[in-house]
Amino acid sequence: RVANRFVLKSIDFIEAFGIYSKISCQGKILIVNEKISQIENRLSPDYFIRLHKSYIINLGNLTSLDKRNV
């Protein structure tokens, strides 16, 4: 098994994708064999927030927020 390592600041968002997760990192999408809930447990709540059951965003990369758009 190949382990992917990420610089946390470079992660834009994480999206649930069934039993996998999509990690958007500097414009690239990587699919990892891990549920979003497992990834969420390892992330600091100071830097990441789960907005929806399918999305975690990096607060450091947040530029705007309203009722319908991030």
Side-chain angles (χ1 to χ4, degrees), residues 28-40:
K28 297 177 185 174
I29 302 290
L30 299 166
I31 297 175
V32 296
N33 187 16
E34 201 162 353
K35 291 182 179 182
I36 195 168
S37 58
Q38 294 170 317
I39 296 171
E40 179 184 25

Side-chain angles (χ1 to χ4, degrees), residues 8-49:
L8 293 180
K9 290 181 182 180
S10 69
I11 296 174
D12 299 315
F13 66 89
I14 301 166
E15 179 183 359
F17 189 59
I19 61 169
Y20 303 99
S21 295
K22 293 180 184 179
I23 298 179
S24 174
C25 189
Q26 297 178 331
K28 297 177 185 174
I29 302 290
L30 299 166
I31 297 175
V32 296
N33 187 16
E34 201 162 353
K35 291 182 179 182
I36 195 168
S37 58
Q38 294 170 317
I39 296 171
E40 179 184 25
N41 290 333
R42 294 197 317 255
L43 296 172
S44 170
D46 295 334
Y47 302 104
F48 291 89
I49 188 168

Side-chain angles (χ1 to χ4, degrees), residues 47-65:
Y47 302 104
F48 291 89
I49 188 168
R50 192 160 184 176
L51 290 180
H52 181 271
K53 68 179 185 172
S54 297
Y55 288 95
I56 297 172
I57 64 164
N58 182 340
L59 293 171
N61 294 338
L62 184 64
T63 56
S64 67
L65 177 69

